[in-house]
Amino acid sequence: MIQITVLFCIMIIIFILLYYRLVQVDLTFPWFLSLIILGFVGINHDLVVKLASFFQIYNEPLVIVFLTFFILFGLVTVLLIGYTNLRLKQIQLVRKIAEIELMNQSFFKKNK
Amino acid sequence: MNKNEIEEEKVLIFIPSYNDNLSALKVAQEINNDLPKADILIVDDGSKEEIEINKFSPFYHYRLETNYGLGVCTHIAVDFMIAHNYSYLVRVDADGQHPVKEIIRMIDKLKLKNADCVVGSRQNHNDKKNDIVKNMVKKYYNLLSKLITQNKAPADVNSGFFAINLKSANLIKCQILERFPEPQIYILLCNSNMKMVEINIMQKERVTNRTTLTFFHALRMFYRFNIFLLTELIRSSRK
């Protein structure tokens, strides 16, 4: 039951982060999904054996390690996409603010 | 075409500046003496020391609170150009390396040759024989740019001395320009069938400060350039 305890602890940490609004709820969704997958694989021994035979992995617990790497890579990619979107939105805002400021300068220069 | 004829057109001169503020003001003043009717916009890309321009100054000035890179600065200038309906936008570097006297020749080419973009190709930028790697990288940029644009790209795709008209500005506005966006701009314009004209210029010595292009910047620029070329290649093959 150690797997479930660890996953439960991670979920509590994520909930605390959400409670104090340190992370945005939408961005934690991939975390939530990956925890469910890891939890399911962690307690389901038959599934691990089937996955190991499917991917021809002789040492069965390695399936969990590879799955964790895969999920981590997915999480980082999702975060990168999120960060890129935020950066683009920030640049749009910066451009808009600059446009307004320069419009004010133009108005001032024309009316001085 | 003489100065007076050019002054009838609405021209915006854009000077991006990063830690080059003193020199930027000198360049702006020099342009103002040469082309008094042209509007000058200085965009300070989050320099450590704030540029001191009062509101009665003839120049437009905008300061970014943090360093966003040349791409964002160019977007700000292009947005301003489109919003105020300027006919031409000329970019001049703040370090004083670009020959200000050539601005007239560039606008002249835009107007009389119906060009959409005029690039000042530096004739003396490969003079430093010690910078073998730097020169090789520049040759690589130029060669690949020529290949991807079917020889339409200018000979110096890293030149920051260029002039565009409103048509090109509208095309650039829709893009997302990155740091050091010159190759991206020229390749984009060439592949969109814009008329590109080159003039040969002699680059002057840098007045103050050092270049903003550090080793890691150059490495990232190289990576970005190759990714951009690859995406352009896929995009053009899809058309």
Side-chain angles (χ1 to χ4, degrees):
Chain A
M1 279 289 109
I2 185 76
Q3 305 96 316
I4 297 298
T5 315
V6 170
L7 292 175
F8 193 68
C9 287
I10 296 174
M11 275 203 175
I12 289 173
I13 292 168
I14 292 175
F15 182 74
I16 292 169
L17 290 173
L18 282 168
Y19 182 79
Y20 288 105
R21 292 171 192 262
L22 292 171
V23 288
Q24 206 238 339
V25 65
D26 284 348
L27 291 174
T28 56
F29 184 66
W31 267 100
F32 178 70
L33 275 185
S34 55
L35 286 178
I36 288 176
I37 295 167
L38 278 177
F40 188 69
V41 176
I43 55 169
N44 202 328
H45 182 70
D46 291 344
L47 184 69
V48 176
V49 174
K50 276 180 191 164
L51 279 173
S53 73
F54 181 77
F55 290 110
Q56 294 179 331
I57 299 167
Y58 296 111
N59 194 0
E60 285 158 5
L62 272 180
V63 171
I64 306 275
V65 176
F66 287 136
L67 194 73
T68 311
F69 276 132
F70 179 72
I71 285 173
L72 272 177
F73 184 74
L75 282 175
V76 171
T77 310
V78 168
L79 282 177
L80 268 179
I81 294 168
Y83 175 77
T84 307
N85 280 336
L86 281 176
R87 198 169 163 266
L88 290 178
K89 282 175 190 165
Q90 192 199 14
I91 287 171
Q92 292 291 338
L93 274 174
V94 166
R95 284 172 66 180
K96 196 74 206 165
I97 293 167
E99 200 178 325
I100 294 165
E101 162 67 23
L102 288 169
M103 205 165 273
N104 286 341
Q105 284 184 29
S106 170
F107 183 77
F108 180 79
K109 281 183 202 307
K110 277 173 192 162
N111 293 298
K112 75 176 175 185
Chain B
M1 181 180 273
N2 59 36
K3 261 189 202 180
N4 291 334
E5 279 176 294
I6 282 169
E7 282 173 0
E8 284 167 15
E9 299 289 340
K10 234 180 146 191
V11 178
L12 177 68
I13 314 286
F14 156 54
I15 307 172
S17 166
Y18 179 60
N19 292 335
D20 259 334
N21 290 340
L22 265 178
S23 167
L25 276 177
K26 273 185 199 163
V27 172
Q29 200 56 58
E30 194 184 339
I31 296 168
N32 196 38
N33 294 339
D34 212 37
L35 294 162
K37 283 192 179 169
D39 285 338
I40 297 166
L41 166 66
I42 302 171
V43 180
D44 178 2
D45 192 11
S47 299
K48 283 169 193 154
E49 283 177 32
E50 204 168 324
I51 194 165
E52 283 171 23
I53 296 182
N54 67 40
K55 61 181 182 177
F56 298 104
S57 153
F59 314 130
Y60 288 96
H61 168 245
Y62 184 72
R63 174 176 162 80
L64 288 159
E65 287 309 318
T66 184
N67 181 253
Y68 280 91
L70 206 43
V72 175
C73 296
T74 309
H75 272 306
I76 289 171
V78 167
D79 290 344
F80 185 66
M81 178 202 184
I82 294 168
H84 293 82
N85 214 22
Y86 284 94
S87 311
Y88 307 114
L89 171 85
V90 185
R91 193 195 120 183
V92 182
D93 274 357
D95 57 13
Q97 285 193 296
H98 294 156
V100 165
K101 302 275 177 209
E102 299 287 356
I103 294 174
I104 294 172
R105 195 150 70 102
M106 290 176 115
I107 299 167
D108 189 39
K109 296 268 181 201
L110 281 174
K111 202 174 178 185
L112 296 181
K113 295 225 166 179
N114 278 330
D116 296 305
C117 177
V118 179
V119 182
S121 287
R122 298 161 293 175
Q123 297 302 294
N124 53 339
H125 76 296
N126 283 338
D127 280 359
K128 288 177 186 164
K129 300 287 180 210
N130 297 337
D131 296 337
I132 298 168
V133 179
K134 203 172 165 185
N135 291 341
M136 272 172 65
V137 171
K138 277 178 183 171
K139 276 179 186 158
Y140 171 80
Y141 281 161
N142 293 335
L143 179 75
L144 281 195
S145 304
K146 289 262 181 205
L147 277 175
I148 203 162
T149 57
Q150 291 160 347
N151 218 18
K152 287 187 232 162
D156 181 9
V157 284
N158 291 297
S159 171
F161 193 38
F162 65 83
I164 53 169
N165 62 8
L166 211 49
K167 196 173 151 195
S168 299
N170 278 310
L171 198 77
I172 293 169
K173 187 186 164 81
C174 309
Q175 304 299 313
I176 300 161
L177 298 179
E178 301 288 345
R179 284 171 189 269
F180 305 105
E182 296 86 1
Q184 189 185 349
I185 292 173
Y186 304 146
I187 292 171
L188 171 88
L189 293 178
C190 289
N191 284 349
S192 306
N193 293 324
M194 296 287 171
K195 191 177 176 189
M196 186 78 73
V197 173
E198 257 181 283
I199 61 164
N200 294 334
I201 60 156
M202 294 304 279
Q203 182 168 264
K204 295 193 282 184
E205 281 296 313
R206 199 180 292 276
V207 176
T208 55
N209 231 312
R210 293 173 63 208
T211 175
T212 50
L213 195 65
T214 60
F215 175 74
F216 285 107
H217 275 137
L219 209 62
R220 274 164 65 187
M221 189 179 165
F222 185 74
Y223 168 74
R224 197 185 303 128
F225 177 76
N226 286 297
I227 295 290
F228 171 70
L229 276 192
L230 204 62
T231 48
E232 272 300 303
L233 208 64
I234 294 167
R235 219 169 269 157
S236 56
S237 65
R238 274 182 164 184
K239 277 178 189 172

